[in-house]
Amino acid sequence: MARRDNLIFGCGALGHEVAMQLSERGIQVYLYSNNFDEVGGLLAKGLQAAVIDYTDDEKLLGIGIGNWVKTIFCLFSEEPKNLFLTLSARALDPDLKIVCVAESIESSERLLAAGATKVIDPYEISGQRVHEMIARPYLVEMLENTVFGKHIDIAEIVIPDSSVLAGMSLSDLELNKKYDLIVLGVVDLELGNQLIFTNSGVDHHLDAGDILVVIGCKQEIERLKQGVSADAGEP
């Protein structure tokens, strides 16, 4: 079964905000917590949420971890909960993408050691954002109204096994002409999780499973998603 689901653990303010942001981008998410009141509030807002005992491996397996779940977000406000969940989820699925929130460098190091794929420090991000708003206010405004607004989006598009793009070179795509999109780069999971930028001088050979990172309007991105899934003809 193909991995598809994205789960958020921790239904506080941060979990709610992440869920709303992902939903606005068309990414379906499910929220889980052991707090009945938090889950009740989210259900009242129409979000998909449920109460779960995250310390029970059988419960985690029951919601798809180790099977069809693609990514989990560990967003509890207490570090021990995020640490425990990361250890449990990593033991159940070595390939699961685990994104955690941390409050310090020491916390980040512990979560990475426990098996987190990515650790985010919201305080560091907030500090950087305040600095950018002061130093480059016009650029920040432009980004908020385009890339982070409703007009332009950034998307990761996985090349499926049957795609006509498999076997092509990055320079042969010409997506800017066919789809009015800009290709920022490609991620080759066989080489690691680093983005290979199109201006790096490497004309990457595309394989099934590679991830294209593109920027453009949502309609064009959706058209490309349909194109890369085609098994014949031009993308």
Side-chain angles (χ1 to χ4, degrees):
M1 182 179 293
R3 293 172 179 265
R4 65 181 188 276
D5 288 356
N6 302 278
L7 311 182
I8 294 176
F9 290 84
C11 298
L14 181 58
H16 178 261
E17 179 63 24
V18 171
M20 295 300 294
Q21 291 286 339
L22 293 176
S23 297
E24 288 178 0
R25 293 177 179 270
I27 301 174
Q28 190 175 42
V29 294
Y30 304 84
L31 294 102
Y32 293 95
S33 176
N34 56 349
N35 186 308
F36 286 85
D37 292 334
E38 286 182 348
V39 170
L42 293 173
L43 290 173
K45 295 179 180 179
L47 294 172
Q48 300 184 88
V51 175
I52 190 173
D53 180 3
Y54 68 93
T55 66
D56 187 335
D57 284 356
E58 291 300 319
K59 299 294 185 182
L60 297 179
L61 288 169
I63 60 175
I65 293 178
N67 194 348
W68 61 81
V69 171
K70 179 181 179 181
T71 305
I72 67 168
F73 296 83
C74 304
L75 303 181
F76 289 114
S77 57
E78 304 92 345
E79 182 191 339
K81 291 183 178 180
N82 291 325
L83 190 59
F84 189 98
L85 177 58
T86 299
L87 285 166
S88 299
R90 179 56 69 218
L92 294 174
D93 188 349
D95 299 320
L96 180 67
K97 184 175 182 180
I98 304 175
V99 181
C100 298
V101 62
E103 298 183 356
S104 65
I105 295 177
E106 293 77 12
S107 177
S108 297
E109 292 174 348
R110 286 190 288 267
L111 289 165
L112 289 170
T117 310
K118 178 74 173 179
V119 178
I120 299 171
D121 184 343
Y123 297 98
E124 179 182 357
I125 293 174
S126 297
Q128 292 174 348
R129 185 173 178 79
V130 170
H131 173 268
E132 290 296 323
M133 291 179 68
I134 295 173
R136 297 189 290 183
Y138 301 113
L139 176 60
V140 171
E141 182 179 0
M142 183 275 291
L143 289 173
E144 288 188 341
N145 290 330
T146 56
V147 176
F148 302 117
K150 303 296 184 181
H151 308 298
I152 298 177
D153 204 356
I154 298 176
E156 298 179 359
I157 301 177
V158 180
I159 299 175
D161 293 335
S162 60
S163 175
V164 295
L165 299 188
M168 297 180 64
S169 296
L170 194 59
S171 61
D172 296 332
L173 296 183
E174 296 185 334
L175 296 186
N176 58 324
K177 297 179 181 179
K178 298 176 181 178
Y179 291 92
D180 196 21
L181 293 170
I182 297 174
V183 181
L184 298 181
V186 61
V187 178
D188 186 335
L189 297 183
E190 292 184 355
L191 301 177
N193 293 318
Q194 296 299 315
L195 176 65
I196 303 172
F197 287 95
T198 53
N199 62 355
S200 65
V202 178
D203 191 10
H204 187 78
H205 180 82
L206 298 173
D207 299 305
D210 287 355
I211 302 172
L212 287 173
V213 180
V214 301
I215 182 171
C217 68
K218 294 182 178 180
Q219 293 87 341
E220 289 296 289
I221 290 174
E222 287 302 316
R223 198 162 68 87
L224 175 60
K225 288 180 179 180
Q226 296 176 6
V228 300
S229 299
D231 56 10
E234 290 295 323

